[in-house]
Amino acid sequence: MQRTALITGASRGIGRAIALHLARDGFDIWANYATGREAAQSLCHEIEALGRKAKALGFSVRDGKAVRAALEPLIEQDGVPHVIVSNAGVTKDGLMAMMSDEEWSSVIETNLTGFFHVTRVCLREMLRKRAGRIIAISSLSGEAGNAGQVNYAASKAGLIGACKALAKEVAKRSITVNVVAPGFIETDMVKDLPKDELARQVPLQRFGKAEEVAAAVSFLASDSAGYITGHVLSVNGGMYM
Ligand code: NAP
């Protein structure tokens, strides 16, 4: 049976690379975006050129109602995706002493509550099917902490805890739940960072590529990874071991 993968935040960066990689693996793609409608549509054309079906789905993962309105009818009509990749994420960096309520809550709501909204909508049908792969994109910051990212590190560490708990909840139904934790990856998110200086701190002496994160997701989404659950796979050039 043809399988589908849903990727949140697929319009750019790591999410886009994951969507293309999973399409090459043979999945049809539901590509979520928040603001990048044209980018998501152009991604869908690229996926269709690979011979797969693709849908661009516009909603903010922060908005539980919008998530349900977009996904429930699609699940009803086409069935639940086999793979869900919670990739949508934002940073609002700053020292905690100066952090506003909005800087705290918007990051938690997008990165952590967004995972809750999207996964919950799909979960009942996945449980019924007794199959599925749930993958969340965390971060080095969630594993090791990083000054200036108390909000972001909390959201990304929260994803790790949530995924380990969920892995235990759904294992009996053959659903796996895993986390990929990237280090510095070349995307818009890090474009203002001092790249040369930071790359010298990475044991592998360079930033990673979005495609290198996508390859890890592809493995965890595959049938070969069926006995791996509750795992955090770091893709960080050796920054945190
Ligand atoms: P990016 O280039 O800034 O792209 C972020 C993506 O998230 C965009 O597609 C954006 O959609 C989407 N997004 C943001 N808010 C959203 C919302 N409320 N609802 C739905 N989509 C939303 O970032 P990236 O570097 O590819 O990061 C992808 C993931 O990897 C994030 O979770 C990030 O925390 C994590 N990560 C990145 C790095 C890194 O070094 N780059 C390292 C560790 C972890 P629109 O453009 O459509 O608005």
Side-chain angles (χ1 to χ4, degrees):
M1 206 183 106
Q2 181 55 38
R3 287 169 163 181
T4 300
L6 162 64
I7 300 104
T8 66
S11 47
R12 290 186 280 130
I14 292 171
R16 186 177 201 283
I18 293 170
L20 284 169
H21 199 120
L22 293 182
R24 278 187 223 105
D25 290 345
F27 290 96
D28 289 340
I29 301 294
W30 294 358
N32 159 252
Y33 64 91
T35 59
R37 182 156 177 255
E38 278 179 23
Q41 281 170 342
S42 117
L43 166 71
C44 288
H45 293 143
E46 245 181 90
I47 290 168
E48 283 158 2
L50 295 169
R52 302 264 57 95
K53 289 185 189 150
K55 284 185 170 65
L57 306 177
F59 58 80
S60 168
V61 297
R62 285 175 71 173
D63 180 346
K65 266 194 197 155
V67 170
R68 280 203 302 278
L71 292 179
E72 278 177 354
L74 271 183
I75 293 172
E76 174 100 28
Q77 185 189 300
D78 297 349
V80 71
H82 180 66
V83 178
I84 305 167
V85 185
S86 268
N87 163 80
V90 292
T91 49
K92 287 201 177 164
D93 295 353
L95 297 176
M96 183 159 166
M98 260 86 82
M99 190 171 283
S100 67
D101 287 357
E102 199 278 331
E103 284 165 341
W104 170 264
S105 56
S106 63
V107 169
I108 300 288
E109 282 167 20
T110 305
N111 300 2
L112 182 57
T113 313
F115 160 84
F116 171 68
H117 287 149
V118 171
T119 308
R120 184 180 54 177
V121 170
C122 299
L123 206 51
R124 193 173 307 172
E125 206 45 34
M126 273 186 156
L127 288 165
R128 208 186 54 75
K129 279 180 71 179
R130 295 176 173 270
R133 297 271 189 269
I134 295 168
I135 300 164
I137 308 301
S138 175
S139 167
L140 167 67
S141 186
E143 292 185 284
N146 190 26
Q149 289 198 315
V150 166
N151 49 358
Y152 183 75
S155 71
K156 294 298 186 177
L159 280 177
I160 294 173
C163 285
K164 288 185 176 184
L166 184 60
K168 290 183 178 176
E169 276 185 28
V170 299
K172 276 191 187 144
R173 302 288 179 110
S174 305
I175 299 164
T176 67
V177 188
N178 290 291
V179 175
V180 172
F184 294 117
I185 307 297
E186 282 178 38
T187 69
D188 292 347
M189 190 173 268
V190 299
K191 67 179 187 308
D192 297 328
L193 299 182
K195 188 176 161 191
D196 293 342
E197 187 188 319
L198 289 171
R200 282 194 290 275
Q201 296 170 23
V202 181
L204 280 172
Q205 298 286 292
R206 65 174 177 87
F207 277 22
K209 296 185 188 342
E211 175 52 34
E212 291 172 309
V213 180
V217 171
S218 159
F219 168 62
L220 291 170
S222 73
D223 289 339
S224 309
Y227 204 55
I228 300 173
T229 196
H231 185 71
V232 181
L233 178 50
S234 302
V235 182
N236 63 23
M239 278 289 277
Y240 179 78
M241 300 180 185

